[in-house]
Amino acid sequence: MAKSSHATWGGRFTAGPAELMLEFSESVSFDRRLAPFDIAGSKAHAAMLAQVGLLTAKERDAIRSGLDAIGAEIAAGKFTWSTKLEDVHMNIEQALTQRVPAAAKLHTARSRNDQVATDMRLFFKHACAALGEKILGAQRALLAAAAANRDVLLPGYTHLQRAQPVFLAHHFFAWMEMLERDRARFATVAAHANWCPLGSGAIAGTTLPIDREFTAKALGFVDAKGRPQVTQNSMDTVADRDLFIEFAAACALFGVHASRIAEDLIIWSSTEFKFVELPDAFCTGSSLMPQKKNPDSCELLRGKSARLHGNLSTLLTLAKGLPLTYNRDLQEDKPPVFDSFDQTAICADVLAGTLAGMEIVRERCAAAVRDPALLATDLADYLVLKGVPFREAHHAVGAVVRLAEKNHVELNQLPTDEVKKIHPAFGADWLEVFDLARALAKRAGTGMPGPAQVARQFARWRKTLR
Ligand code: ARG
């Protein structure tokens, strides 16, 4: 029995594993999604074995077409997976061996340890590219929303208290920067993944005359100049799970960003703010209260981010106490990685859909940004330009704010002579400060929310997201 179902390692065993152990230790239920990468790795490995004379050309070709046939069956959902065979690697190898006798030679100079490391590096390269595209989709939706509301001003907040006026596009471009860093981070993780583990064997390579560079090239583990990149220490290669952690961290940080964007939208969509009307397609109603329209897509973006953090935490904890090199604990590295990938992918799509469908409520933004208190800092700057030290100016404007509050009037409704009594540097022109367009135009430096800078950022993002 040990021989029939565990031909890959059953030689030294007299009895097979208990049913319970099979159920406990199988990973094929989740690692079967690595099949396309596992097959690509095996084809490249077979090609290399033929190249160095460990397989004949005929054997290599038989293995290759057998793997292609299995790949097609898997893609069509016709392949029979067996938990008895533990994992994706043994399922494919056994199926191949049943069809192609030469497949008994395929595992020459290879271990599942370098094999799974290779499969995962191929997965990470694919996953990072896919997530980069999805985040790009969200960024494009954001750019379109910024363009459609280019002239809208609204208050910027600190401590969730009205602070200073900004263009809505400037707020959107803050989100854009967050998403751009995420995209760059996934590109970095992909670059870190771009080193081929094959040839590291179980822990100490092989005595056979293999060609690691050949396999690396065949699998696309190459630098910008097409030179093969192979990992440099066999023990580290099979023990290392840094990429898993980096990938999960990139997902978790994207989750933080999506969650913060979602939180802004949740606040803005409340009746109290109503700066934005979220798309019906991404909201739900209440089963009890007929008037309700809840911002569920945003709330779930916020909620999913917790799950992404959890996955990162799982991986850090999994790796931290392990002695070198491979330990079976490491099989548990895949569910959190796959979950992070799947959830990040759908979060990016949902974010894009929510951003694409939202409507800005212009009157509400305009009403809020009309609050002259938003320009209190500009009033202090006005005094500074009259030669008043900033601390003194800040104090004087504070007194003006207090007086307005006491008189129950807006800041710019106070009589000029009252204001002059607070500080003699206030002149007849002090009310000009409250011209919003003028106030924005003065914010002209790089990174500031003035119209010239916002125009520059529009040009930049149009170019970057093309
Ligand atoms: N299914 C295993 C994993 O995901 C593959 C590597 C198994 N290696 C071993 N020495 N048992 O980690």
Side-chain angles (χ1 to χ4, degrees):
M1 155 192 192
K3 190 143 198 312
S4 64
S5 60
H6 289 90
T8 54
W9 52 256
R12 58 111 59 227
F13 286 77
T14 50
E19 281 298 322
L20 183 61
M21 178 56 186
L22 286 174
E23 184 192 334
F24 187 57
S25 64
E26 68 84 20
S27 58
V28 68
S29 56
F30 53 84
D31 68 13
R32 65 171 73 167
R33 65 191 285 171
L34 291 174
F37 308 112
D38 200 68
I39 287 171
S42 287
K43 282 164 73 176
H45 185 65
M48 183 278 288
L49 291 176
Q51 177 73 16
V52 300
L54 289 167
L55 282 183
T56 66
K58 240 178 119 185
E59 288 169 329
R60 174 200 61 202
D61 294 345
I63 287 173
R64 182 186 298 156
S65 45
L67 285 168
D68 282 340
I70 289 172
E73 271 173 40
I74 293 172
K78 291 191 184 127
F79 186 80
T80 317
W81 297 100
S82 163
T83 49
K84 280 200 170 56
L85 293 170
E86 279 186 35
D87 57 23
V88 62
H89 322 293
M90 300 220 282
N91 268 268
I92 291 174
E93 195 191 321
Q94 291 272 309
L96 187 65
T97 310
Q98 274 161 22
R99 301 162 197 216
V100 180
K105 293 187 179 176
L106 176 61
H107 214 54
T108 305
R110 186 176 74 171
S111 154
R112 274 185 295 156
N113 294 352
D114 58 351
Q115 189 178 356
V116 72
T118 305
D119 290 7
M120 287 305 290
R121 281 173 179 267
L122 291 171
F123 167 83
F124 284 127
K125 287 173 71 174
H126 154 83
C128 290
L131 294 180
E133 278 302 310
K134 288 190 179 291
I135 294 170
L136 186 63
Q139 289 179 295
R140 286 188 176 137
L142 187 54
L143 180 59
N149 298 284
R150 200 173 168 146
D151 52 334
V152 173
L153 292 168
L154 84 176
Y157 293 78
T158 65
H159 311 266
L160 202 50
Q161 306 291 319
R162 282 182 186 171
Q164 295 187 316
V166 294
F167 278 100
L168 175 66
H170 191 64
H171 194 125
F172 283 172
F173 289 160
W175 297 348
M176 194 75 98
E177 297 281 353
M178 291 146 68
L179 296 174
E180 186 67 5
R181 288 195 296 277
D182 290 325
R183 216 152 56 92
R185 204 168 282 115
F186 281 112
T188 302
V189 176
H192 289 178
N194 197 23
W195 294 82
C196 189
L198 281 177
S200 300
I203 165 169
T206 176
T207 58
L208 297 166
I210 61 166
D211 182 345
R212 294 194 63 199
E213 283 69 23
F214 180 99
T215 328
K217 259 191 168 164
L219 288 171
F221 289 108
V222 292
D223 69 10
K225 290 189 174 142
R227 291 174 302 206
Q229 303 200 119
V230 301
T231 57
Q232 299 290 303
N233 181 294
S234 63
M235 292 179 77
D236 177 53
T237 300
V238 295
D240 172 27
R241 290 298 182 273
D242 290 7
L243 270 170
F244 294 61
I245 292 167
E246 286 181 62
F247 178 79
C251 292
L253 199 37
F254 165 81
V256 170
H257 293 155
S259 181
R260 294 185 74 172
I261 293 169
E263 178 61 8
D264 276 348
L265 289 174
I266 290 166
I267 292 170
W268 286 359
S269 68
S270 67
T271 309
E272 284 68 17
F273 276 75
K274 226 3 136 211
F275 291 170
V276 69
E277 189 64 47
L278 293 174
D280 283 6
F282 287 91
C283 293
T284 66
S286 158
S287 55
L288 190 143
M289 299 166 282
Q291 87 284 11
K292 290 295 288 293
K293 175 174 154 185
N294 298 324
D296 289 32
S297 69
C298 293
E299 291 172 310
L300 279 167
L301 285 170
R302 212 170 47 184
K304 299 270 189 192
S305 74
R307 186 163 160 186
L308 296 173
H309 305 174
N311 290 336
L312 171 60
S313 180
T314 297
L315 289 164
L316 287 165
T317 311
L318 181 68
K320 85 177 219 357
L322 294 184
L324 292 189
T325 53
Y326 179 85
N327 300 269
R328 190 66 182 274
D329 317 41
L330 290 175
Q331 182 167 289
E332 289 294 315
D333 59 10
K334 280 170 279 306
V337 161
F338 293 152
D339 188 59
S340 283
F341 173 60
D342 295 340
Q343 294 306 319
T344 300
I346 196 166
C347 281
D349 284 348
V350 166
L351 179 62
T354 304
L355 294 172
M358 70 185 174
E359 295 282 347
I360 298 303
V361 187
R362 292 163 159 264
E363 325 76 76
R364 297 282 302 195
C365 295
V369 81
R370 229 176 274 131
D371 178 359
L374 287 164
L375 294 169
T377 311
D378 295 48
L379 197 56
D381 290 346
Y382 161 93
L383 290 179
V384 166
L385 288 177
K386 306 249 172 193
V388 181
F390 181 75
R391 279 291 151 231
E392 189 181 322
H394 184 284
H395 198 80
V397 175
V400 174
V401 170
R402 183 153 28 91
L403 182 64
E405 258 174 32
K406 194 178 128 223
N407 295 358
H408 303 292
V409 295
E410 304 268 44
L411 205 53
N412 58 352
Q413 240 81 79
L414 288 168
T416 301
D417 48 335
E418 293 282 316
V419 173
K420 274 187 160 164
K421 267 188 236 160
I422 290 174
H423 199 292
F426 282 115
D429 59 348
W430 79 288
L431 285 172
E432 285 170 20
V433 166
F434 296 98
D435 179 340
L436 253 184
R438 183 174 169 276
L440 264 301
K442 281 173 177 280
R443 289 167 164 84
T446 302
M448 298 182 195
Q453 284 301 326
V454 170
R456 252 184 78 190
Q457 296 300 327
F458 265 108
R460 172 184 159 218
W461 291 118
R462 286 215 167 97
K463 209 171 139 196
T464 307
L465 306 179
R466 210 171 10 219

